[in-house]
Amino acid sequence: MPSVQPVVMCVMKHLPKVPEKKLKLVMADKDLYKACAVEVKRQIWQDNQALFGDEVSPLLKQYILEKENALFSSDLSVLHNFFSPSPKMRRQGEVVQKLTQMIGKNVKLYDMVLQFLRTLFLRTRNVHYCTLRAELLMSLHDLDISEICTVDPCHKFTWCLDACIREKFVDNKRARELQGFLDGVKKGQEQVLGDLSMILCDPFAINTLALSTIRHLQELIGQDLLPRESPDLLLLLRMLSLGQGAWDMIDSQIFKEPKMEVDLITKFLPTLMSFVVDDYMFTVDQKLPSEDKGPAAYPSAIPEMFPKFLQDHRIACEIGLYYVLHVTKQRNKNALLRLLPSLAETFNDLAFNDIFLHLLTGNLTLLADEFAQEEFCTSLFDNFFLAACSRKENVHRHVLRLLLHLHHKVAPAKLESLQKSLEPTKQSGEAVKELYSQLGEKLQLHKPGPAQAADAPPMELSLPTVPTPATL
């Protein structure tokens, strides 16, 4: 009886426990199931994992798609990038809100969602599932749903880490809190490390830990200290290591913290610090009167072990890449050109993953004027980007994004050769073809007409620009 149905549905919604027989009737009728309130559906779902999975699956797909679209956004900017939205703002997203509503206060449904996320993370290695794991818990925390927060052993750790992500820095007080949680994992409860590692594998957590590591290294130089003398730095590395080892830990079901590489602390990080010192010395050298000597040359040599570390050690590679992002953001062209050759081969091709390329292309907008220089373009495009374009479609997309933004800064001859090199093949996806045709249209619009070309000074775009001093 359609006219009475809303009343019945409303009564059922307020029943703490709907009789099993009635739930089965609702479940058997598609229209009834559709019309019933989420409070009733929760009672159906908790004993029917497959049906709940069917409801959750499209939301998880939508979430991953949104994250991937954000990484390929047409806006290139240092101020507005993938990591700009605050944690609280991200939790207002449609998918997180819908999942929070579907779970309500039901611990069983929450556990099912976590199990789906673990399974999908294992199957795909997609780290955005780790972000959703943390966002979902913090969304329930925002609503004060103690029924779930008190039984999730990661709650306080995630809450503390969330505050660090908001500040994009792990301060000393919070570092001690986080360490307390890690040290407090009791014998027999090691399984919680699997969940903690997933929380730490969230790209927003990795970003915060890596930025804090770079900042700590700079502070250590000012204090004349070595990495091994800083407990705070060692904790950051411990958390990075746990986060980066999440997939292996959940896959192997061996719940113990990865062993810290001694060479990372005694060899790799001091090498990274020596690069920072080189920059300081070069800047000071530039300011000294140079009557007797010519202009100081920027050191171009790289210790042999540096690229080897980037190839063999995951944590070293992550920190090395964040240092490259750091010097690019500082508009330090010399340091960028010195380090770029080392990125051709990295651990698991991390230098060509979407998050790094998204941040790098954004930071490169600060070096826009350098794109007129042949040497800069050869190092960046020919030796780095184009070398990977043919085997990695995502790199192709990021280069096209960059050129769509900065094509007017590149010398015309170079632009022409880049356009040829970046032409999509038959195997290229729709996204690459679309970006390439957008670039073609932009270049057509940008080309001066015959009358303008005659009046315009020749090669206007390739006039040498005043190099930006290497700021630190």
Side-chain angles (χ1 to χ4, degrees):
M1 294 173 67
S3 56
V4 184
Q5 197 189 79
V7 180
V8 180
M9 288 302 175
C10 198
V11 171
M12 280 172 76
K13 173 182 169 176
H14 292 285
L15 284 180
K17 185 150 181 34
V18 179
E20 187 73 27
K21 210 165 110 185
K22 307 297 176 204
L23 287 178
K24 281 185 175 156
L25 282 172
V26 170
M27 220 167 94
D29 186 321
K30 264 188 184 166
D31 295 330
L32 278 179
Y33 174 73
K34 222 175 191 170
C36 76
V38 73
E39 288 82 354
V40 180
K41 281 181 180 166
R42 281 182 205 134
Q43 296 185 41
I44 294 173
W45 292 332
Q46 68 173 10
D47 297 315
N48 200 317
Q49 190 170 1
L51 185 61
F52 186 51
D54 292 343
E55 294 271 355
V56 169
S57 183
L59 290 173
L60 302 185
K61 280 187 186 132
Q62 181 189 335
Y63 182 85
I64 297 299
L65 204 62
E66 283 168 7
K67 290 288 181 202
E68 285 170 356
N69 288 343
L71 288 171
F72 287 106
S73 146
S74 54
D75 297 330
L76 255 74
S77 161
V78 175
L79 300 173
H80 302 289
N81 63 30
F82 183 74
F83 293 112
S84 299
S86 70
K88 200 138 197 173
M89 197 171 140
R90 284 188 281 122
R91 297 199 282 275
Q92 304 315 309
E94 185 191 356
V95 173
V96 176
Q97 288 299 309
K98 274 188 180 169
L99 286 172
T100 307
Q101 194 204 2
M102 286 165 83
I103 290 165
K105 298 178 177 184
N106 193 312
V107 177
K108 203 169 173 186
L109 293 181
Y110 177 66
D111 276 341
M112 277 190 214
V113 174
L114 294 195
Q115 196 49 52
F116 294 151
L117 293 177
R118 277 184 216 109
T119 307
L120 287 163
F121 175 51
L122 268 184
R123 197 180 297 160
T124 63
R125 288 182 182 258
N126 192 321
V127 288
H128 301 309
Y129 290 116
C130 301
T131 309
L132 185 52
R133 158 79 174 96
E135 282 178 357
L136 191 55
L137 172 54
M138 286 309 295
S139 173
L140 293 161
H141 164 92
D142 291 343
L143 295 172
D144 278 332
I145 297 185
S146 56
E147 291 86 343
I148 289 175
C149 292
T150 49
V151 295
D152 188 330
C154 301
H155 172 231
K156 285 184 175 166
F157 183 88
T158 310
W159 184 8
C160 183
L161 188 63
D162 188 72
C164 300
I165 292 171
R166 191 180 61 230
E167 309 292 334
K168 289 191 170 60
F169 183 64
V170 183
D171 61 40
N172 294 353
K173 180 176 173 287
R174 290 198 181 110
R176 278 192 290 276
E177 275 184 61
L178 291 167
Q179 183 165 11
F181 294 127
L182 289 179
D183 292 342
V185 176
K186 295 184 177 71
K187 217 174 165 61
Q189 293 179 342
E190 291 91 351
Q191 215 165 337
V192 74
L193 281 175
D195 267 339
L196 288 177
S197 71
M198 214 172 148
I199 300 278
L200 286 166
C201 187
D202 163 16
F204 288 85
I206 297 281
N207 180 58
T208 302
L209 295 170
L211 289 173
S212 304
T213 302
I214 299 295
R215 196 158 140 186
H216 266 292
L217 290 174
Q218 289 175 295
E219 284 171 7
L220 290 179
I221 292 167
Q223 297 160 359
D224 273 352
L225 291 172
L226 286 167
R228 61 170 180 250
E229 296 167 296
S230 165
D232 285 342
L233 179 65
L234 296 178
L235 172 68
L236 289 172
L237 297 174
R238 179 184 173 188
M239 290 194 288
L240 266 174
S241 186
L242 195 53
Q244 296 288 23
W247 191 89
D248 295 318
M249 189 185 288
I250 297 167
D251 181 49
S252 66
Q253 293 287 298
I254 298 169
F255 299 104
K256 58 178 189 186
E257 287 191 45
K259 206 167 179 294
M260 188 64 70
E261 296 278 353
V262 177
D263 283 355
L264 175 74
I265 298 151
T266 58
K267 289 183 180 168
F268 177 76
L269 292 179
T271 305
L272 214 50
M273 288 164 81
S274 75
F275 295 159
V276 182
V277 173
D278 285 343
D279 279 330
Y280 283 142
M281 286 170 67
F282 180 70
T283 311
V284 171
D285 232 7
Q286 297 291 84
K287 292 173 185 168
L288 295 174
S290 56
E291 293 151 17
D292 318 334
K293 57 185 179 63
Y298 189 83
S300 59
I302 286 266
E304 248 177 65
M305 62 155 179
F306 183 75
K308 189 130 183 54
F309 264 106
L310 297 190
Q311 287 166 35
D312 301 341
H313 297 259
R314 184 171 194 132
I315 310 300
C317 186
E318 195 74 59
I319 296 167
L321 292 178
Y322 266 86
Y323 181 67
V324 171
L325 292 173
H326 170 75
V327 297
T328 314
K329 198 172 181 179
Q330 301 286 345
R331 296 182 169 88
N332 187 343
K333 179 192 80 164
N334 291 324
L336 174 65
L337 293 181
R338 180 187 187 185
L339 296 169
L340 264 179
S342 305
L343 304 190
E345 281 184 52
T346 48
F347 185 92
N348 270 358
D349 264 343
L350 278 179
F352 297 120
N353 86 9
D354 290 327
I355 292 174
F356 174 70
L357 291 177
H358 169 89
L359 295 173
L360 180 67
T361 48
N363 289 1
L364 282 167
T365 57
L366 296 171
L367 286 167
D369 291 339
E370 299 297 339
F371 281 79
Q373 309 292 337
E374 178 66 33
E375 180 209 4
F376 184 80
C377 282
T378 304
S379 293
L380 184 66
F381 290 110
D382 303 18
N383 301 344
F384 178 60
F385 283 132
L386 296 180
C389 264
S390 56
R391 61 191 175 91
K392 289 191 163 284
E393 182 155 304
N394 68 317
V395 180
H396 203 154
R397 283 176 75 178
H398 284 292
V399 181
L400 288 168
R401 283 174 65 242
L402 183 64
L403 280 177
L404 271 168
H405 197 81
L406 291 171
H407 62 87
H408 56 287
K409 296 284 186 182
V410 182
K414 185 72 194 168
L415 195 54
E416 205 176 309
S417 83
L418 282 172
Q419 202 182 353
K420 277 184 191 146
S421 307
L422 291 166
E423 195 170 342
T425 62
K426 282 178 185 166
Q427 284 78 37
S428 297
E430 281 309 308
V432 167
K433 288 174 183 167
E434 174 60 29
L435 283 168
Y436 187 77
S437 76
Q438 282 177 27
L439 181 64
E441 284 164 26
K442 274 206 171 185
L443 297 184
Q444 279 302 113
L445 288 172
H446 197 71
K447 267 186 187 167
Q452 288 170 283
D455 302 337
M459 299 291 277
E460 195 183 352
L461 282 172
S462 62
L463 286 174
T465 48
V466 179
T468 317
T471 46
L472 281 156

